[in-house]
Amino acid sequence: MTVNELLTVDGFEAVTVPDGDREMNGCYIGDLLSWVMGRAKADNAWITIMSNINIVAVASLADVACIILAEGVEVDSSVRETAEAKDVNILSTKLPAYETAVLLNKVIL
C-alpha cells in the first residue's frame, strides 16, 4: 500500500505528502527518537506523538515511508516545510497509537 492509498482510508489526513507513491511495509510505534532510529525498518509507517523538528531527521535516517502523528498531534510550519524539503511524508490521525497500528495492520496486510 502506498501513502496516497492510506490517505483514502477513513481517519488519516495529509500533513505533508511530497512522496505519496512511497510503498509502506509494516509499522513501528515509538516516541524515543534514538530508539526509533535503531529499530524502525525502511518503508515502515512510523506512529508517534512527537511533534518537534527532530522527527523529520529521524524519519529520513530510518528511511520510513511516513510519519503518522497519532492522537490529533499537530506540527508547526517549520516541521512541515522541512519535511517537504526532505521528502518526508507526514500524516495525522485522531486515533491513539495502538488503534492506528491495528487499523494499519488491517489495510496494509
Side-chain angles (χ1 to χ4, degrees):
M1 168 174 273
T2 68
V3 172
N4 282 334
E5 290 169 337
L6 180 59
L7 286 169
T8 66
V9 175
D10 242 4
F12 294 100
E13 295 179 19
V15 174
T16 179
V17 184
D19 187 12
D21 293 328
R22 179 80 187 261
E23 289 283 338
M24 292 181 299
N25 180 1
C27 74
Y28 188 83
I29 303 172
D31 298 317
L32 185 58
L33 300 179
S34 60
W35 200 263
V36 174
M37 278 190 297
R39 288 173 173 78
K41 294 183 175 108
D43 301 322
N44 279 174
W46 170 28
I47 303 168
T48 185
I49 58 167
M50 297 294 295
S51 63
N52 66 49
I53 193 75
N54 295 328
I55 63 172
V56 176
V58 169
S60 184
L61 286 169
D63 196 27
V64 297
C66 64
I67 301 168
I68 300 176
L69 302 170
E71 300 191 27
V73 169
E74 296 180 8
V75 293
D76 62 32
S77 61
S78 66
V79 175
R80 283 191 301 274
E81 290 166 7
T82 303
E84 281 282 342
K86 296 192 178 289
D87 289 332
V88 173
N89 299 311
I90 303 177
L91 285 60
S92 67
T93 183
K94 295 195 183 317
L95 296 171
Y98 173 76
E99 290 178 27
T100 302
V102 169
L103 180 55
L104 281 176
N105 186 57
K106 289 178 183 176
V107 298
I108 290 177
L109 298 178

